[in-house]
Amino acid sequence: MPLKLAVLFLTPLIAGLMVYLVPTAKGKNFKLILVFAGSYLFAITVTHILPELYRQHQEVELIGLFVLAGFFLQQFLEYFTSGIEHGHIHSHDHHDHGHHHSHTHQTVSAIVLLSALCVHAFLEGGMLAQSNAPGLGYDANAVLLGIALHRAPAAFALMTVLVSQFHSKRKSLPHLFAFSIAAPLGLLISTYFVESEVLTDNGLFYLYALVSGNFLHISTTIVFESSPEHRFNAKKLAVAVAGALFAVMVEHMV
């Protein structure tokens, strides 16, 4: 538990603070990192999480429905986040037609963005809660790594957008802290519910399935959108294959 909490909190926090050292995240290397993370997340979902869910739960149709719900829940959240959870950066220049109106709009926009990201992060953290029931759940280290790999660029993208909105790194730091604490909070609350038997074994299965749908949406979006107009790019394909192979390797190591 302490290791999970530390990784979930420190990974986005440190990645977000990198805006003080790295001027932009729109270079080719950043996109390749995203491709690797997306491919890893996709591979760990289809080779590890989903097979475990379908193997251990009898009502496979219901699991499928929760996966589908998670997929479209992520689509809904991205209406508010503009894809920051998979590293997309959309900076908007605000023209001063009224300073007070502009400031209010920026604050509300930042809160909406942060809230949607925190909902997703909270669910991810909750997914790492595990039951003590025999045969239920799995070694979550591979999944933890997948979450860390995609939360790091998300945190960097979040800070880049907020600094552009607020024109201040200092004002953006509380938002980064809130984003960093969301996943650990989800893990703590879910673990408490599991231990107090408020969250049943079936409830955990459905939570796993819901977040799996989130992962499928995020990972496929990263991989597909990394190649505009679906042009073939050997380097990105190689990085994607490397990410998938790394996921398979990690699964057999943990």
Side-chain angles (χ1 to χ4, degrees):
M1 172 76 82
L3 175 62
K4 293 179 184 177
L5 291 173
V7 171
L8 290 175
F9 176 70
L10 292 177
T11 299
L13 182 65
I14 293 172
L17 292 175
M18 291 297 290
V19 296
Y20 285 93
L21 302 176
V22 183
T24 180
K26 296 183 180 181
K28 293 181 179 180
N29 291 335
F30 182 76
K31 291 181 179 179
L32 290 178
I33 293 172
L34 285 178
V35 172
F36 183 90
S39 182
Y40 177 94
L41 195 61
F42 178 76
I44 211 68
T45 301
V46 299
T47 65
H48 182 64
I49 303 174
L50 292 179
E52 285 290 321
L53 287 175
Y54 285 118
R55 183 173 63 86
Q56 296 182 22
H57 200 281
Q58 296 179 348
E59 299 180 9
V60 293
E61 295 86 358
L62 195 55
I63 289 295
L65 287 176
F66 272 89
V67 172
L68 193 63
F71 187 92
F72 285 106
L73 172 62
Q74 184 58 36
Q75 179 70 48
F76 174 74
L77 290 175
E78 288 190 12
Y79 175 77
F80 302 100
T81 66
S82 299
I84 282 179
E85 52 273 85
H86 40 79
H88 284 193
I89 299 173
H90 301 278
S91 299
H92 302 283
D93 295 325
H94 298 276
H95 301 285
D96 277 329
H97 297 297
H99 176 73
H100 178 72
H101 174 76
S102 176
H103 176 73
T104 302
H105 174 77
Q106 291 173 4
T107 302
V108 172
S109 176
I111 291 174
V112 171
L113 167 65
L114 181 64
S115 299
L117 287 173
C118 285
V119 168
H120 172 72
F122 184 88
L123 290 173
E124 283 186 334
M127 185 188 191
L128 295 174
Q130 293 179 280
S131 171
N132 295 321
L136 179 64
Y138 44 80
D139 191 326
N141 289 337
V143 180
L144 175 63
L145 180 57
I147 292 173
L149 281 174
H150 99 82
R151 275 174 62 76
F156 189 91
L158 172 65
M159 280 295 286
T160 302
V161 170
L162 291 178
V163 169
S164 175
Q165 283 191 358
F166 293 132
H167 304 289
S168 169
K169 293 183 175 68
R170 182 181 59 82
K171 291 181 180 179
S172 304
L173 287 177
H175 297 76
L176 174 63
F177 182 82
F179 177 62
S180 300
I181 204 69
L185 191 61
L187 173 56
L188 288 172
I189 292 177
S190 294
T191 299
Y192 172 77
F193 283 161
V194 168
E195 292 176 350
S196 60
E197 299 182 352
V198 174
L199 184 61
T200 64
D201 293 347
N202 279 339
L204 266 181
F205 272 125
Y206 300 144
L207 177 60
Y208 295 160
L210 189 73
V211 181
S212 295
N214 288 172
F215 286 168
L216 287 176
H217 189 286
I218 291 172
S219 60
T220 52
T221 300
I222 291 173
V223 175
F224 289 142
E225 290 192 359
S226 66
S227 300
E229 300 178 5
H230 302 284
R231 293 175 180 173
F232 179 77
N233 186 309
K235 183 180 291 187
K236 289 179 180 178
L237 177 61
V239 170
V241 171
L245 291 177
F246 183 62
V248 174
M249 182 182 70
V250 168
E251 180 185 351
H252 285 87
M253 288 173 57
V254 296

